[in-house]
Amino acid sequence: MPLLATAGRLRRRRDPPARIHRIGILKSTGIGDMVVATGVVRDVTRAFPGAEVVVFAGPDNEAVARLLPDVRVVGVPMGRPWTAIARLRAEKLDVLLDLGQWSRVEAVCALASGARFTVGFDTAGQRRHGAYDRGVAHSAGRHELDNYRRLVAELGVESKALPRLPAPDGDLPAPAPRSPYVVFHLWPGGLRSDLKEWPAESWRELAGRVIGQGYSVVLTGSPADAERTAAFVSSCNGAKPDIENLAGRCGIDGLARLLEHSACVVSVNTGVMHLAAAVGAPTVALNGPTSEQRWGPIGERVTSVNSELPGCGYLNLGFEYDGQRTDCMEGISVDRVADAALEIARRD
């Protein structure tokens, strides 16, 4: 923080260069964040057809970034800032857009990137805006896509595109599910992720209703989720033959294809939810402590089911739990989710 504060006082603010040949976009964390950013990445690419756009991604979202067309992706390990800075400087950027909202490490890397013009967020309390030629106020009162749009507007880009990713060609992950199928993604990520989980008994009841309407159920998750997903399947008793556990068996490419071909995806608010919406899958999002207005899925085939308990939807950047209620996901009824999922599945 002292480094950024000093930079803010001493550095001379520059204007964008007259000729822009290489634009960097830095988003080093968050699968969902990267998916939401795909709309503005596409708009930047279209606004500068003669420029090369380089997306800098971190270990957890690099695979998602590589689904983007018409850009080059460079991995930046923010846990090793000097390596990240070296990779940024090697690109000899005319412009660097830092989409990071909170981390001061990203801001320091932007400051040392060697880019001729930098733009990033001025987030309350973080003092990160001192790193940039132009700082854009980050708002907790608007969807993150709108924050990204306001940031790229500093480069003269009018951003209107929705998040969108093409699912790569190829086969569905094995064992291939019985069609038509509905995908359930039970497991959120991030800090205090347990507070964003829907109760297991609610998922079991939903599975019974979906299977009763002629669909099979596919469960997704990371390799770290495989064991508890298997335990969930074992708890489903008579429904087990119609439930396929693919947790830990899908890379990003296979997962994108699986979501795209589903009749519907039902997911807690996490990166897979955003990915489902971006590949065009009918998507039902379960929002408890996470606000639909801040982080709901965006797309033409999405529905949000929000907690009916008062005081929920309070998360901004994902860590604002202190003093808030912890039972928000219990305020989402199976009836509401089943109605939304079956309605959107039949519609499509």
Side-chain angles (χ1 to χ4, degrees):
M1 187 177 288
L3 173 62
L4 294 174
T6 301
R9 289 193 300 269
L10 300 180
R11 72 191 304 267
R12 179 177 61 86
R13 298 295 188 268
R14 303 164 295 180
D15 292 324
R19 295 184 179 180
I20 296 176
H21 302 288
R22 185 167 293 136
I23 301 170
I25 299 176
L26 174 61
K27 189 73 203 74
S28 68
T29 59
I31 291 174
D33 294 47
M34 181 64 78
V35 174
V36 171
T38 59
V40 298
V41 173
R42 289 163 54 208
D43 285 326
V44 169
T45 302
R46 290 169 182 165
F48 295 90
E52 181 182 25
V53 176
V54 183
V55 175
F56 296 93
D60 72 330
N61 62 8
E62 183 177 345
V64 173
R66 294 192 181 281
L67 296 178
L68 276 161
D70 305 320
V71 303
R72 185 160 57 86
V73 177
V74 173
V76 283
M78 285 297 163
R80 292 181 285 132
W82 294 118
T83 300
I85 289 170
R87 293 182 184 178
L88 287 164
R89 294 184 68 86
E91 296 299 327
K92 302 186 183 304
L93 299 168
D94 295 307
V95 173
L96 177 62
L97 303 169
D98 178 10
L99 303 188
Q101 312 96 324
W102 181 78
S103 169
R104 290 187 289 268
V105 174
E106 290 170 318
V108 170
C109 289
L111 178 66
S113 67
R116 297 167 62 196
F117 179 72
T118 58
V119 184
F121 283 122
D122 178 357
T123 304
Q126 292 303 101
R127 301 299 297 270
R128 61 196 318 279
H129 58 285
Y132 309 109
D133 294 300
R134 290 189 189 168
V136 176
H138 184 272
S139 173
R142 64 179 73 228
H143 198 283
E144 199 63 0
L145 177 59
D146 291 327
N147 279 317
Y148 292 157
R149 286 171 169 167
R150 293 177 65 242
L151 191 145
V152 301
E154 293 295 324
L155 201 57
V157 176
E158 183 181 13
S159 180
K160 295 183 177 179
L162 299 180
R164 185 68 177 159
L165 284 170
D169 294 333
D171 297 327
L172 293 178
R178 174 179 63 79
S179 292
Y181 62 87
V182 173
V183 173
F184 288 2
H185 189 79
L186 285 63
W187 313 117
L191 183 70
R192 302 293 302 274
S193 60
D194 57 305
L195 300 184
K196 295 186 284 185
E197 293 180 12
W198 202 35
E201 57 268 25
S202 297
W203 283 114
R204 281 192 290 270
E205 184 177 345
L206 180 65
R209 295 196 192 187
V210 167
I211 291 167
Q213 294 298 313
Y215 299 93
S216 66
V217 170
V218 178
L219 304 176
T220 55
S222 71
D225 300 322
E227 184 175 343
R228 56 180 177 169
T229 307
F232 172 80
V233 175
S234 295
S235 75
C236 289
N237 299 323
K240 287 171 60 177
D242 294 299
I243 299 177
E244 192 67 64
N245 178 9
L246 293 183
R249 302 183 187 181
C250 304
I252 286 293
D253 288 7
L255 177 60
R257 289 191 292 271
L258 183 74
L259 299 173
E260 181 188 40
H261 290 285
S262 67
C264 176
V265 177
V266 183
S267 175
V268 292
N269 194 304
T270 193
V272 170
M273 173 204 72
H274 288 292
L275 181 61
V279 300
T283 304
V284 176
L286 311 185
N287 303 304
T290 307
S291 166
E292 176 190 358
Q293 284 69 39
R294 280 287 289 126
W295 291 105
I298 297 176
E300 298 172 352
R301 307 165 78 190
V302 303
T303 299
S304 280
V305 181
N306 302 318
S307 178
E308 294 183 313
L309 297 177
C312 294
Y314 52 78
L315 289 179
N316 172 27
L317 295 176
F319 52 81
E320 301 86 0
Y321 290 101
D322 288 349
Q324 305 289 351
R325 65 186 308 157
T326 59
D327 59 348
C328 288
M329 296 302 287
E330 296 175 18
I332 300 175
S333 71
V334 176
D335 286 341
R336 294 169 61 216
V337 178
D339 289 347
L342 293 172
E343 194 276 331
I344 199 172
R346 290 164 181 157
R347 183 196 312 161
D348 291 277

